[in-house]
């Protein structure tokens, strides 16, 4: 998934557009994951789904997968914060 935006159908059948935060592949599960958010929402929540090569989204259902995603997200945020701090020093 190499796009910056994705369309998600909500429970009411509405098509919503979200910005992609990042994607990653898990060697442990053999699945691809996408983390995304609503850039128009000041208190944006980050969502995550499994996706396939055609761009179809699937729900994450196991607690182990959620734990792994949370760990990857926290690493991503820590790296992003480090990058911002190093740019502030320049």
């Amino acid at each position: 998934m190499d796009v910056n935006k994705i369309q998600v159908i909500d429970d009411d059948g509405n098509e919503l557009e979200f910005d992609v935060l990042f994607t990653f592949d898990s060697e442990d599960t053999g699945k691809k994951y996408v983390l995304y958010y609503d850039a128009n929402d000041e208190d944006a929540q980050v969502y995550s789904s499994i996706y396939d090569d055609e761009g179809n989204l699937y729900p994450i259902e196991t607690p182990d997968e959620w734990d792994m995603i949370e760990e990857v997200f926290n690493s991503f945020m820590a790296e992003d914060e480090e990058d911002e701090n190093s740019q502030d020093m320049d």
Side-chain angles (χ1 to χ4, degrees), residues 21-58:
L21 185 59
F22 67 92
T23 62
F24 70 96
D25 297 350
S26 170
E27 290 180 14
D28 292 338
T29 65
K31 298 176 185 174
K32 300 175 188 179
Y33 299 89
V34 57
L35 281 79
Y36 51 96
Y37 65 100
D38 183 353
N40 298 318
D41 185 353
E42 287 181 23
D43 299 320
Q45 179 177 351
V46 175
Y47 303 95
S48 185
S49 296
I50 298 166
Y51 73 95
D52 62 19
D53 291 335
E54 288 79 40
N56 298 310
L57 299 178
Y58 303 95

